[in-house]
Amino acid sequence: GIQVEQSPPDLILQEGANSTLRCNFSDSVNNLQWFHQNPWGQLINLFYIPSGTKQNGRLSATTVATERYSLLYISSSQTTDSGVYFCAVPYNQGGKLIFGQGTELSVKP
Amino acid sequence: ETGVTQTPRHLVMGMTNKKSLKCEQHLGHNAMYWYKQSAKKPLELMFVYSLEERVENNSVPSRFSPECPNSSHLFLHLHTLQPEDSALYLCASSQDLRDTQYFGPGTRLTVL
């Protein structure tokens, strides 16, 4: 089955710093989602991005489907950005998503 | 996001208890999902329902029993659980199977 790998596994930033999170996947996909899981467990949709670049405030994402990777950029990080960032790709047409292991981000004041 | 709600938010149960988790979506979606997330691990899909029919069953033990009475509600019935079943159980919904999935806040389950 398809493999999804995220890097780095952990990241500590000072407030105001920028960061790039990476998601590699082993097979071609027709969509990719980025999620942020806050410290209380809530998963929040960030991007649905099968290809190209999207921006939402301080966050942006780029997926290069032909090279099987996606990047999530966080600029001017804030303490509320702390949590785990997951990327997920579909396994089949039946709604099954395969999640990466996540990047745990900690933003220090 | 309040489009998907889950109750209870926290549950502690003994191995001989029977309990149920409830999920409700207010988004008019046709597909609903149960995921399990053990500590520090990615989400694992348990069940998928589309138009109230189960379409995916990911080799989940029979002590977990899903029920989807209508497209807005999804239950997970629990019985004779083991301590290793302690985890965060997340419900999600999507317009259709290939669309963006939206998650509820989760139920944090502890089995003693």
Side-chain angles (χ1 to χ4, degrees):
Chain A
I2 192 167
Q3 305 293 317
V4 181
E5 294 182 358
Q6 290 185 244
S7 59
D10 303 281
L11 185 59
I12 300 175
L13 296 177
Q14 203 66 36
E15 199 169 27
N18 302 328
S19 62
T20 301
L21 283 56
R22 187 176 180 103
C23 174
N24 291 333
F25 41 95
S26 61
D27 206 347
S28 58
V29 298
N30 57 15
N31 80 61
L32 183 141
Q33 291 185 238
W34 282 100
F35 296 92
H36 173 217
Q37 188 170 37
N38 67 23
W40 297 272
Q42 174 75 60
L43 266 169
I44 299 164
N45 295 68
L46 298 178
F47 294 101
Y48 178 97
I49 183 167
S51 63
T53 297
K54 291 186 178 179
Q55 179 144 13
N56 184 1
R58 295 181 295 102
L59 302 182
S60 65
T62 295
T63 296
V64 184
T66 53
E67 297 187 22
R68 300 180 185 172
Y69 73 89
S70 184
L71 302 174
L72 179 69
Y73 306 95
I74 304 174
S75 63
S76 304
S77 58
Q78 300 176 359
T79 56
T80 51
D81 295 331
S82 296
V84 184
Y85 290 80
F86 289 103
C87 65
V89 299
Y91 174 77
N92 54 23
Q93 300 299 313
K96 180 174 181 177
L97 287 179
I98 302 297
F99 283 76
Q101 297 285 333
T103 292
E104 186 164 7
L105 174 65
S106 178
V107 181
K108 304 296 187 185
Chain B
E1 297 180 11
T2 58
V4 182
T5 58
Q6 290 186 241
T7 55
R9 296 293 307 275
H10 300 271
L11 178 62
V12 179
M13 59 187 289
M15 289 190 286
T16 58
N17 292 157
K18 290 184 180 180
K19 296 287 184 183
S20 296
L21 309 184
K22 179 183 177 182
C23 176
E24 184 173 1
Q25 58 97 359
H26 311 274
L27 301 169
H29 289 168
N30 294 318
M32 295 187 76
Y33 311 78
W34 279 118
Y35 288 87
K36 175 185 178 182
Q37 186 181 27
S38 301
K40 301 277 186 177
K41 292 187 178 179
L43 281 72
E44 302 170 51
L45 181 68
M46 300 176 74
F47 301 105
V48 180
Y49 277 82
S50 177
L51 297 171
E52 301 149 47
E53 289 192 13
R54 191 189 305 182
V55 297
E56 182 89 25
N57 180 352
N58 232 29
S59 300
V60 178
S62 59
R63 56 186 183 269
F64 295 92
S65 175
E67 179 190 2
C68 188
N70 56 62
S71 59
S72 299
H73 293 86
L74 185 65
F75 294 90
L76 187 63
H77 303 300
L78 317 171
H79 66 95
T80 324
L81 294 193
Q82 304 297 311
E84 59 264 30
D85 296 322
S86 299
L88 180 66
Y89 289 83
L90 290 155
C91 173
S93 72
S94 62
Q95 183 60 54
D96 292 297
L97 291 174
R98 286 173 286 183
D99 290 326
T100 304
Q101 295 182 23
Y102 294 88
F103 285 79
T107 295
R108 197 164 293 278
L109 173 67
T110 302
V111 181
L112 301 176

